[in-house]
Amino acid sequence: MKPRPSGRTGDQLRPVRITRKFTRHAEGSVLVEFGDTRVLCTASVEETVPGFLRNSGSGWVTAEYGMLPRATHTRARREAATGKQGGRTLEIQRLIGRALRAVVDLKALGERTITIDCDVLQADGGTRTASITGGYVALVDAVNTLIQKRVLRESPIHGQVAAVSVGIWAGVPVLDLDYVEDSDAETDMNVVMNNGGGFIEVQGTAEGHAFRREELDALLNLAANGIGQLLAKQMEALNED
Amino acid sequence: MKPRPSGRTGDQLRPVRITRKFTRHAEGSVLVEFGDTRVLCTASVEETVPGFLRNSGSGWVTAEYGMLPRATHTRARREAATGKQGGRTLEIQRLIGRALRAVVDLKALGERTITIDCDVLQADGGTRTASITGGYVALVDAVNTLIQKRVLRESPIHGQVAAVSVGIWAGVPVLDLDYVEDSDAETDMNVVMNNGGGFIEVQGTAEGHAFRREELDALLNLAANGIGQLLAKQMEALNED
Amino acid sequence: MKPRPSGRTGDQLRPVRITRKFTRHAEGSVLVEFGDTRVLCTASVEETVPGFLRNSGSGWVTAEYGMLPRATHTRARREAATGKQGGRTLEIQRLIGRALRAVVDLKALGERTITIDCDVLQADGGTRTASITGGYVALVDAVNTLIQKRVLRESPIHGQVAAVSVGIWAGVPVLDLDYVEDSDAETDMNVVMNNGGGFIEVQGTAEGHAFRREELDALLNLAANGIGQLLAKQMEALNED
Amino acid sequence: MKPRPSGRTGDQLRPVRITRKFTRHAEGSVLVEFGDTRVLCTASVEETVPGFLRNSGSGWVTAEYGMLPRATHTRARREAATGKQGGRTLEIQRLIGRALRAVVDLKALGERTITIDCDVLQADGGTRTASITGGYVALVDAVNTLIQKRVLRESPIHGQVAAVSVGIWAGVPVLDLDYVEDSDAETDMNVVMNNGGGFIEVQGTAEGHAFRREELDALLNLAANGIGQLLAKQMEALNED
Amino acid sequence: MKPRPSGRTGDQLRPVRITRKFTRHAEGSVLVEFGDTRVLCTASVEETVPGFLRNSGSGWVTAEYGMLPRATHTRARREAATGKQGGRTLEIQRLIGRALRAVVDLKALGERTITIDCDVLQADGGTRTASITGGYVALVDAVNTLIQKRVLRESPIHGQVAAVSVGIWAGVPVLDLDYVEDSDAETDMNVVMNNGGGFIEVQGTAEGHAFRREELDALLNLAANGIGQLLAKQMEALNED
Amino acid sequence: MKPRPSGRTGDQLRPVRITRKFTRHAEGSVLVEFGDTRVLCTASVEETVPGFLRNSGSGWVTAEYGMLPRATHTRARREAATGKQGGRTLEIQRLIGRALRAVVDLKALGERTITIDCDVLQADGGTRTASITGGYVALVDAVNTLIQKRVLRESPIHGQVAAVSVGIWAGVPVLDLDYVEDSDAETDMNVVMNNGGGFIEVQGTAEGHAFRREELDALLNLAANGIGQLLAKQMEALNED
């Protein structure tokens, strides 16, 4: 079995760091690091909802995602200059939004919106799973701010959510792929789960050749295990201070 | 167990119809119907490739997706008038493109592009899976045109691909959801497989509550079964005339 | 006199087919065929009006036009992907809208909008005249739906409208040009008339050389004759079922 | 018979003024005035052609049209700020371009482009016909510059072109409608003719009710007469200096 | 000392002409000429304010700037066709707006907007300073219209404002650079001042090499002198009629 | 004299920190902090130049600027989602680019582009001056990378550049305004200077009332002093490691 470029075992996460209050203005502001992947997740509360929810009594949780132009090996064009967000960006921010909404009671949130902005400062694979994992912590901080300000009496968040990537690399299932592995993987899967062991989202894509049911099973096991660790990291970060 | 609105059993596809040569100009032109969902899939050959493949010797297969404004219950704004394709559209056309590329040897195609345009004339759930299933047939027809014109000596298509949606509806796993079921499903999964029983893409999303591993397993079984039938329908259509 | 490529006489229309209820969701849905030109015209009713008519008591009838990318001999770029509707598209949809509004009492329609979407599935010349001719039938069906639902007591449509192209081809005036003739015509004219023999719109363009008054007169005669037949086809379609 | 607001007879043009060399940089620069309508038409020569003409040996003549935001009674949004040219703008500039190309031998022009920019400084009806009439003079001046610079040996312009509007106002045909008449006209027609008495373009639209063949005939007669006067005005301006 | 291309002395303005009522519809309409630079400045009053001022009791003064495509030596692309205003355009119109707001009491204006459109008909350097200088006169005319209509009782304009460019050309400070000088200047500065001798805006840019404090001082002296003359020209124009 | 909110003396900078190698992929990557203002400046080298420099032998230095949506007190709309960069953004990035080009010999750089991306992670006033000051350091690092890779033999950078804001606050001139002071300043000026004491750019704007010559003089003195300190901070950072 070929060793992973990073020297990790197949079921090993990269070092995970979750730094709260990374910036000062947002109601929640978290720098999440999965190894060299670094994403700044801020949660902003606005006392308004999108048109389709107006006068519904229901709130909204949504996400936006961006990469700084030189977060990657070669400079990518700035989407603001291009004049539109690419398909990959839209796909990722839709995923982050769905994942976080899965643990929020939007009625209990009331007619307000929490926007999670996930901006990648440095990319090394797994930016979307890091965004979900860090975005959850920012969301909790923002909700706690609302509770402290007595805007809300109790938290509308009814579960915990985290995400990790898994893939078949050099013929074997591995957890939390970095950029080098990701570029080379035969299969790539992003898994989002809650703290009850339920699946929120499973997105698997064959890159090289189609994957078989037993490979899928092995990947899901790896993911469940990794997500367990990420959920613990989130709790640890939230218990600080 | 609550009966499905359409009266189908849980593992029953809607009537599937694949009409080739539906329009006259395209190298491949297929109307695919999954019940009341009707998608026109055309395959167009162009003797050029995107910039990143120029002088690479490799060809490209890509897809574009659109819905006629009144394909749905209420009129949606025309994306050409809005000035951009929405996130859902981009996500779907990226999925269709990936699924079809999974069965094509792009080197063997040579430096040319085949674009699969999937335009939904009438929507009743499952438009992306119908697009992949019908798009494959249009792709085969386009490639056969190239062979007949002696542009290619043999087909660069090395497998067959089809897709179906599955979901948990009213607590039980069901195959090929129509719009009414889809709006109401607790979990929604799109599965793309090849004729070797391998997975090309698995995209599952919890709508109501998170889904459990055994539910996931049941859904994958249903999907595999449905896709088997769709692959047969494709062959049947391709064997005509 | 050079024979027309299609073998038609100079004053002969292509076979015209008008299929109502072609799709299921729209209040009016018509597939109109002028020979190989096939346009899907749907009429959608919305209980709202554009800003300039709000609180005016008056309704609105408008049209949007699009071509599927491979409706033509070579694939055209999808306008939704390009990010804007071209000048030709805007010009055509403005024409269709004006033509249909010419037979509707907008006050009697009440503050609601009927949008006629004309999407060309296959193009072989005359897509705008086919759109007007088929769009009228879809409009009537939509209005009848409003009457059946008792939203309206009587029809605000006070006339019938149809359109045809005429041109000077190989030196002689011909009716209803197909693509081959159109590409080659010296003069091209689109004529829209009502059932009272009045002109709604006359748009003549010299392609090769300027046209003379007597040529214009001959073209208008041809057009009036062709439109008479189209008005009869519309009535025939509307009298079915 | 109701008198025209301007006191003109039905077949009377507004005072027409054509001022050449209105600005200094363009190869042709003409201020054209039809009464209070004032349009600045510049002709710019560029030694390049659009993609579809590259290496064809053929040149191109095209037009762009714009209105200063406060050319009209109420301020219109600046199209550059809105981010796109409206349908009316595109329609008009396509018309101007077609009209001018009708009198130019594009092969004889050689692979270069002449762009006629028509910017309305003040609008009072008839901006498109003034643009064509003044644009022609700017085009001639630009071509003469090319001849003086010995880029061309002889003029590729083989005819003269002018345009006027006519309409049915208060029940009678009138020539060269100003804004007040135009807003109120039952039928509105723009006619473009060459100096051989041939029609380049005829665009008639029923505003209030459909127009009859004899009305159309009367309008065309009026237009032919008016255009004769405009052609003379153009020659007069070109003969100055 | 090298003579200026125009033969002017270093502290000499170009001939300045301010023509009021240049067009007819706008509440203020001024053609301002600084030598061969000609800008049409119109002031339009609208009884509405931008969102951020709604119900604030305060009005707004803003500016938009544009260049006709052939105002310059070579044709520039029309911003309406390009689909956006360039950075230079936005920068200039923001400057004009700030400069004019500096002399208006927005509360006293009441909840209405005055938009100053500055459209360059012919460019020869100094278009932004001409726009401010002419825009002020158009603004005064628009306010006087409001007073005449008894919409306002007294003028909310509490000062006079004008602008001029200065620069280091061929080693010496010069006033009011034309295009030839501007292209060649080592330092370029735009200065906006009021009639109390106060600075509203100072924008100096080193083109060739950095400029020294004593050069800056000399430029400011030149500018103050030139602006004094421009303020007098404005009063002269406003005192006519 | 009213004390500054931060307790600083009038001529005191905020604590300045310049952290090199903040991210890993860019040729230069600097986090610059002026108190609570934090900007990530990356310098990216690309072996290509904009069209207007192709085959000129000359290189290019340019800048792009962005703010993360929640860098500020309230969330701003993401420019990538809005579809365009606002006027303020364009103005700032043009300023940064000009300032840095002022110390680079573009011929000596050779036909390559260095892009300085300045992304504001947290804003507290002075983001443009921090961007220039930090961007310079990133630029030096990128150039040194080119020298180490033997792409360049010697540095094309011939000077040092830094920037600071100054303003009249509570009636007195102060250095390096933070957000609270900036919102409240009567005059706001950004000054860019090189290490020879020359001015690269001076941009002063009266906010409340016009500023007098002696105030301008005082502000320029303050700025020169502050920039001296910033130039020293840059050298200190560059001398590390």
Side-chain angles (χ1 to χ4, degrees):
Chain A
M1 214 174 85
K2 196 170 147 189
R4 298 178 73 171
S6 59
R8 284 185 280 152
T9 57
D11 62 350
Q12 196 179 347
L13 290 175
R14 290 176 285 179
V16 173
R17 281 204 293 178
I18 296 176
T19 308
R20 288 162 61 209
K21 302 188 183 167
F22 186 74
T23 56
R24 184 181 95 156
H25 299 306
E27 284 75 27
S29 174
V30 166
L31 182 77
V32 60
E33 298 172 78
F34 279 22
D36 273 336
T37 287
R38 287 199 245 160
V39 186
L40 174 51
C41 307
T42 59
S44 299
V45 179
E46 287 164 306
E47 293 296 317
T48 151
V49 285
F52 69 92
L53 285 177
R54 221 155 281 154
N55 303 320
S56 69
S58 179
W60 192 238
V61 171
T62 186
E64 293 195 4
Y65 172 93
M67 271 221 195
L68 296 198
R70 196 54 195 284
T72 44
H73 286 81
T74 55
R75 185 174 186 274
R77 289 198 59 192
R78 187 178 287 269
E79 288 185 325
T82 314
K84 64 175 173 182
Q85 297 178 295
R88 181 184 169 277
T89 294
L90 292 172
E91 205 168 308
I92 291 176
Q93 70 190 18
R94 284 157 56 92
L95 170 65
I96 302 169
R98 280 199 308 272
L100 295 177
R101 279 194 297 279
V103 294
V104 179
D105 177 346
L106 297 173
K107 280 280 178 195
L109 175 57
E111 273 199 39
R112 56 183 56 86
T113 297
I114 302 182
T115 302
I116 311 296
D117 284 289
C118 299
D119 284 276
V120 180
L121 304 188
Q122 188 172 276
D124 188 35
T127 63
R128 79 189 71 187
T129 52
S131 295
I132 291 167
T133 304
Y136 171 77
V137 177
L139 175 64
V140 171
D141 274 344
V143 162
N144 285 341
T145 304
L146 290 175
I147 293 172
Q148 276 156 37
K149 290 187 183 164
R150 298 178 185 252
V151 176
L152 289 179
R153 261 202 289 188
E154 50 184 6
S155 175
I157 303 178
H158 54 65
Q160 195 182 336
V161 63
V164 80
S165 75
V166 285
I168 309 283
W169 180 83
V172 294
V174 296
L175 179 67
D176 187 22
L177 290 77
D178 58 30
Y179 178 76
V180 172
E181 292 171 330
D182 193 31
S183 316
D184 210 37
E186 291 138 40
T187 290
D188 182 20
M189 185 174 294
N190 291 294
V191 181
V192 185
M193 294 178 76
N194 66 16
N195 58 332
F199 293 95
I200 306 286
E201 193 100 21
V202 172
Q203 294 196 339
T205 302
E207 300 286 348
H209 60 81
F211 53 95
R212 314 217 55 86
R213 182 67 173 269
E214 56 274 19
E215 291 176 319
L216 175 59
D217 288 339
L219 290 174
L220 292 173
N221 291 341
L222 263 186
N225 199 284
I227 285 172
Q229 296 173 54
L230 291 169
L231 293 166
K233 287 280 182 187
Q234 288 174 331
M235 287 315 296
E236 208 177 283
L238 284 166
N239 288 332
E240 275 163 28
D241 104 323
Chain B
M1 214 174 83
K2 195 169 146 190
R4 298 179 72 174
S6 59
R8 285 186 281 152
T9 59
D11 62 351
Q12 196 180 349
L13 291 173
R14 289 175 286 178
V16 173
R17 281 203 296 176
I18 297 176
T19 308
R20 287 162 62 210
K21 302 188 184 168
F22 186 73
T23 57
R24 170 185 107 154
H25 300 305
E27 283 75 27
S29 174
V30 166
L31 182 77
V32 60
E33 298 172 77
F34 280 21
D36 273 335
T37 287
R38 286 199 246 160
V39 185
L40 174 51
C41 307
T42 60
S44 299
V45 180
E46 285 163 307
E47 292 296 317
T48 154
V49 284
F52 68 93
L53 286 177
R54 224 156 277 154
N55 302 318
S56 69
S58 180
W60 192 238
V61 172
T62 187
E64 293 194 4
Y65 172 92
M67 271 222 197
L68 298 197
R70 195 56 195 283
T72 42
H73 286 80
T74 55
R75 186 174 184 274
R77 289 197 59 192
R78 186 177 289 267
E79 288 185 326
T82 313
K84 65 176 174 182
Q85 296 179 295
R88 180 184 170 278
T89 294
L90 291 172
E91 204 168 308
I92 292 176
Q93 69 189 21
R94 283 157 57 92
L95 170 65
I96 302 170
R98 280 199 308 273
L100 296 176
R101 280 193 297 278
V103 295
V104 179
D105 177 346
L106 296 173
K107 279 281 175 196
L109 176 58
E111 274 199 38
R112 55 184 56 84
T113 298
I114 303 182
T115 302
I116 312 295
D117 285 290
C118 300
D119 285 277
V120 179
L121 305 187
Q122 188 171 277
D124 188 33
T127 63
R128 78 189 73 188
T129 53
S131 294
I132 292 168
T133 303
Y136 171 77
V137 177
L139 175 64
V140 171
D141 274 345
V143 162
N144 285 341
T145 305
L146 290 174
I147 293 172
Q148 276 157 38
K149 289 186 181 165
R150 298 178 185 252
V151 175
L152 290 178
R153 262 202 291 189
E154 48 183 9
S155 175
I157 302 178
H158 54 63
Q160 196 181 336
V161 62
V164 80
S165 75
V166 284
I168 309 284
W169 180 83
V172 294
V174 295
L175 179 66
D176 187 23
L177 292 75
D178 57 30
Y179 177 76
V180 172
E181 291 171 330
D182 194 30
S183 319
D184 208 37
E186 291 138 40
T187 290
D188 182 19
M189 184 174 294
N190 291 293
V191 181
V192 185
M193 295 178 77
N194 66 16
N195 57 332
F199 292 95
I200 307 287
E201 193 101 21
V202 172
Q203 294 196 339
T205 302
E207 299 287 349
H209 59 79
F211 53 96
R212 315 218 53 87
R213 182 68 172 268
E214 56 273 19
E215 290 175 320
L216 175 59
D217 288 339
L219 290 174
L220 291 173
N221 290 342
L222 263 187
N225 198 282
I227 286 173
Q229 296 173 54
L230 291 169
L231 293 166
K233 286 282 183 186
Q234 288 175 330
M235 288 316 296
E236 206 177 284
L238 284 165
N239 288 333
E240 272 162 29
D241 104 320
Chain C
M1 214 174 84
K2 196 169 145 190
R4 300 178 71 173
S6 59
R8 285 185 280 152
T9 59
D11 62 350
Q12 196 179 347
L13 290 174
R14 289 175 286 178
V16 173
R17 283 203 294 176
I18 297 176
T19 308
R20 288 163 61 211
K21 302 188 183 167
F22 186 73
T23 56
R24 180 183 99 156
H25 300 305
E27 284 74 27
S29 173
V30 166
L31 183 77
V32 59
E33 298 171 78
F34 279 22
D36 274 334
T37 287
R38 288 199 244 160
V39 185
L40 174 52
C41 307
T42 59
S44 299
V45 180
E46 286 163 307
E47 293 296 317
T48 153
V49 285
F52 67 93
L53 286 177
R54 222 155 280 153
N55 302 319
S56 69
S58 179
W60 192 237
V61 171
T62 186
E64 294 195 4
Y65 172 92
M67 271 221 194
L68 297 197
R70 195 56 194 283
T72 44
H73 285 80
T74 55
R75 185 175 185 274
R77 289 198 59 192
R78 185 177 289 268
E79 288 185 326
T82 312
K84 64 175 174 183
Q85 296 179 295
R88 180 184 170 277
T89 295
L90 292 172
E91 204 168 307
I92 292 177
Q93 69 190 19
R94 283 157 56 92
L95 170 64
I96 302 170
R98 280 198 308 272
L100 296 177
R101 278 194 297 279
V103 295
V104 179
D105 177 346
L106 296 173
K107 280 280 177 196
L109 176 57
E111 272 198 41
R112 55 184 57 87
T113 297
I114 302 182
T115 303
I116 311 296
D117 284 290
C118 299
D119 285 276
V120 179
L121 304 187
Q122 190 172 275
D124 188 35
T127 63
R128 79 189 72 186
T129 52
S131 295
I132 292 167
T133 305
Y136 171 76
V137 177
L139 175 65
V140 171
D141 275 345
V143 162
N144 285 341
T145 304
L146 290 174
I147 294 171
Q148 276 155 37
K149 290 187 183 164
R150 299 179 184 252
V151 175
L152 290 178
R153 262 203 290 189
E154 50 185 5
S155 176
I157 303 178
H158 54 63
Q160 196 182 337
V161 62
V164 81
S165 75
V166 285
I168 309 284
W169 180 84
V172 294
V174 295
L175 178 67
D176 187 22
L177 290 77
D178 57 30
Y179 177 77
V180 172
E181 292 170 330
D182 193 31
S183 318
D184 209 36
E186 291 138 41
T187 290
D188 183 19
M189 184 174 293
N190 292 293
V191 181
V192 185
M193 295 178 76
N194 66 16
N195 58 331
F199 292 95
I200 307 284
E201 192 102 20
V202 172
Q203 295 197 337
T205 302
E207 300 285 349
H209 60 79
F211 52 95
R212 314 218 54 87
R213 182 67 172 270
E214 56 273 20
E215 290 176 320
L216 176 58
D217 288 341
L219 290 174
L220 291 173
N221 291 341
L222 262 187
N225 199 282
I227 285 172
Q229 295 173 54
L230 291 169
L231 294 166
K233 286 282 182 184
Q234 288 175 330
M235 286 317 295
E236 208 176 283
L238 284 166
N239 289 333
E240 274 164 29
D241 104 321
Chain D
M1 214 175 82
K2 196 170 145 188
R4 298 180 73 173
S6 58
R8 285 185 281 151
T9 59
D11 63 351
Q12 196 180 348
L13 291 174
R14 289 176 286 179
V16 173
R17 282 202 296 176
I18 296 177
T19 309
R20 286 163 64 212
K21 303 187 184 168
F22 186 73
T23 57
R24 167 185 109 154
H25 300 305
E27 284 74 28
S29 174
V30 167
L31 183 76
V32 60
E33 299 171 78
F34 279 22
D36 274 334
T37 287
R38 287 199 247 161
V39 186
L40 173 52
C41 306
T42 60
S44 299
V45 179
E46 286 164 307
E47 292 296 317
T48 154
V49 284
F52 69 93
L53 286 176
R54 222 155 279 155
N55 302 318
S56 69
S58 178
W60 192 238
V61 171
T62 187
E64 293 195 3
Y65 172 92
M67 272 222 196
L68 297 198
R70 195 56 195 282
T72 43
H73 285 80
T74 55
R75 185 176 185 273
R77 290 198 59 191
R78 186 177 288 268
E79 287 185 328
T82 314
K84 63 174 176 183
Q85 297 178 294
R88 180 183 170 278
T89 295
L90 292 172
E91 203 167 309
I92 291 176
Q93 69 190 21
R94 283 158 57 93
L95 170 65
I96 301 169
R98 279 198 310 270
L100 296 177
R101 279 194 298 278
V103 295
V104 179
D105 177 345
L106 296 173
K107 281 280 177 196
L109 174 59
E111 274 199 39
R112 54 184 56 86
T113 297
I114 303 181
T115 302
I116 311 296
D117 284 290
C118 299
D119 285 277
V120 180
L121 305 187
Q122 189 171 276
D124 187 34
T127 64
R128 79 189 72 189
T129 53
S131 295
I132 291 168
T133 303
Y136 171 77
V137 177
L139 175 64
V140 171
D141 275 345
V143 162
N144 285 340
T145 304
L146 290 174
I147 292 171
Q148 277 157 35
K149 290 186 182 166
R150 298 179 185 252
V151 175
L152 290 178
R153 263 202 289 188
E154 49 183 7
S155 174
I157 302 179
H158 54 63
Q160 195 182 336
V161 62
V164 79
S165 76
V166 285
I168 309 283
W169 179 83
V172 294
V174 295
L175 179 67
D176 186 24
L177 291 75
D178 57 29
Y179 178 77
V180 172
E181 292 170 330
D182 193 31
S183 318
D184 208 38
E186 290 138 41
T187 289
D188 182 19
M189 185 173 295
N190 291 294
V191 180
V192 185
M193 293 178 77
N194 67 16
N195 57 332
F199 293 95
I200 307 285
E201 194 100 22
V202 172
Q203 294 196 338
T205 302
E207 301 286 349
H209 59 79
F211 53 96
R212 314 219 53 87
R213 183 67 172 268
E214 55 273 20
E215 290 176 319
L216 175 59
D217 288 340
L219 290 174
L220 291 173
N221 290 343
L222 262 187
N225 200 282
I227 285 173
Q229 296 173 55
L230 291 169
L231 293 166
K233 288 280 182 186
Q234 288 175 330
M235 286 316 295
E236 205 177 286
L238 285 166
N239 288 332
E240 275 162 28
D241 104 321
Chain E
M1 214 175 85
K2 197 170 145 187
R4 299 179 71 173
S6 59
R8 284 185 281 154
T9 58
D11 62 350
Q12 197 179 347
L13 290 175
R14 290 175 284 179
V16 173
R17 282 204 294 176
I18 297 176
T19 308
R20 286 162 63 211
K21 301 188 184 168
F22 186 73
T23 56
R24 182 181 96 155
H25 300 306
E27 283 75 27
S29 173
V30 167
L31 183 76
V32 59
E33 297 171 79
F34 279 22
D36 273 336
T37 287
R38 287 199 244 159
V39 186
L40 173 52
C41 307
T42 59
S44 299
V45 180
E46 286 163 307
E47 293 295 318
T48 151
V49 285
F52 68 92
L53 286 176
R54 220 155 282 152
N55 302 319
S56 69
S58 177
W60 192 237
V61 171
T62 186
E64 294 195 2
Y65 172 93
M67 271 221 195
L68 297 198
R70 195 56 194 283
T72 44
H73 285 81
T74 55
R75 185 175 185 274
R77 290 197 58 192
R78 186 178 288 269
E79 288 185 325
T82 313
K84 62 174 173 183
Q85 296 178 296
R88 180 184 169 277
T89 295
L90 292 172
E91 206 168 305
I92 292 176
Q93 69 190 19
R94 283 157 57 91
L95 170 65
I96 302 169
R98 279 198 309 271
L100 296 177
R101 279 194 298 278
V103 295
V104 179
D105 177 345
L106 297 173
K107 280 279 177 196
L109 176 58
E111 273 199 40
R112 54 183 59 84
T113 297
I114 302 183
T115 302
I116 311 296
D117 285 289
C118 300
D119 285 277
V120 180
L121 304 188
Q122 189 171 277
D124 188 34
T127 63
R128 79 190 71 188
T129 52
S131 295
I132 291 168
T133 304
Y136 171 76
V137 179
L139 175 65
V140 172
D141 274 346
V143 161
N144 285 341
T145 305
L146 290 175
I147 293 170
Q148 277 156 37
K149 289 187 183 164
R150 299 178 185 251
V151 176
L152 289 178
R153 262 203 288 188
E154 50 185 4
S155 176
I157 302 179
H158 54 65
Q160 196 181 336
V161 62
V164 81
S165 76
V166 284
I168 310 284
W169 178 83
V172 295
V174 296
L175 179 67
D176 186 22
L177 291 75
D178 57 30
Y179 177 76
V180 172
E181 292 170 328
D182 193 32
S183 317
D184 208 36
E186 292 137 40
T187 290
D188 183 20
M189 185 174 294
N190 291 293
V191 181
V192 185
M193 294 178 76
N194 66 17
N195 57 332
F199 292 96
I200 307 285
E201 192 101 21
V202 172
Q203 295 196 339
T205 302
E207 300 287 348
H209 60 80
F211 53 94
R212 314 218 54 86
R213 182 66 173 269
E214 55 274 19
E215 291 176 318
L216 176 59
D217 288 340
L219 290 174
L220 292 173
N221 291 341
L222 263 187
N225 199 282
I227 285 173
Q229 297 173 54
L230 292 169
L231 293 166
K233 287 281 182 186
Q234 288 175 330
M235 287 316 296
E236 206 177 285
L238 284 166
N239 288 333
E240 275 163 27
D241 105 323
Chain F
M1 215 174 84
K2 195 169 147 191
R4 298 179 72 174
S6 59
R8 286 185 280 152
T9 58
D11 62 352
Q12 195 180 348
L13 291 174
R14 289 175 286 179
V16 173
R17 281 202 297 176
I18 297 177
T19 308
R20 287 162 63 211
K21 302 189 184 168
F22 187 73
T23 57
R24 183 181 96 156
H25 300 306
E27 284 73 28
S29 174
V30 166
L31 182 76
V32 59
E33 299 172 77
F34 279 21
D36 273 336
T37 286
R38 287 198 246 161
V39 185
L40 175 51
C41 306
T42 59
S44 298
V45 180
E46 286 164 308
E47 293 296 317
T48 154
V49 285
F52 68 93
L53 287 177
R54 223 156 279 155
N55 302 318
S56 69
S58 178
W60 193 238
V61 172
T62 187
E64 293 195 3
Y65 171 93
M67 272 221 197
L68 297 198
R70 196 54 195 283
T72 43
H73 285 82
T74 55
R75 186 176 185 273
R77 289 198 59 191
R78 185 177 289 268
E79 289 185 327
T82 313
K84 64 176 174 182
Q85 296 178 294
R88 180 185 170 277
T89 294
L90 292 172
E91 204 168 307
I92 292 177
Q93 68 189 19
R94 282 157 58 92
L95 170 65
I96 301 170
R98 279 198 311 270
L100 296 176
R101 278 193 299 279
V103 295
V104 179
D105 177 345
L106 296 174
K107 280 280 176 195
L109 175 58
E111 274 199 41
R112 55 184 56 86
T113 298
I114 303 182
T115 302
I116 311 297
D117 284 290
C118 300
D119 285 277
V120 180
L121 305 187
Q122 190 171 276
D124 188 34
T127 63
R128 78 189 73 187
T129 54
S131 294
I132 291 168
T133 304
Y136 172 76
V137 178
L139 175 64
V140 172
D141 274 345
V143 162
N144 285 341
T145 304
L146 290 174
I147 293 171
Q148 276 156 36
K149 289 186 182 165
R150 299 177 185 253
V151 176
L152 291 178
R153 262 203 289 188
E154 47 183 9
S155 175
I157 302 178
H158 54 64
Q160 196 181 335
V161 62
V164 80
S165 75
V166 284
I168 309 284
W169 179 82
V172 295
V174 295
L175 178 68
D176 187 24
L177 291 77
D178 57 30
Y179 178 76
V180 171
E181 292 170 329
D182 193 32
S183 319
D184 208 36
E186 291 138 40
T187 290
D188 181 19
M189 184 173 297
N190 292 293
V191 181
V192 186
M193 294 178 78
N194 66 17
N195 56 332
F199 293 95
I200 307 285
E201 192 100 23
V202 172
Q203 294 197 339
T205 302
E207 300 287 348
H209 59 79
F211 52 97
R212 316 217 53 87
R213 183 66 172 270
E214 56 273 20
E215 290 175 319
L216 175 59
D217 288 339
L219 290 174
L220 291 174
N221 291 342
L222 262 189
N225 199 282
I227 285 174
Q229 296 173 54
L230 292 169
L231 293 166
K233 287 280 183 186
Q234 288 174 330
M235 287 316 295
E236 205 177 286
L238 284 166
N239 289 332
E240 274 163 27
D241 105 320

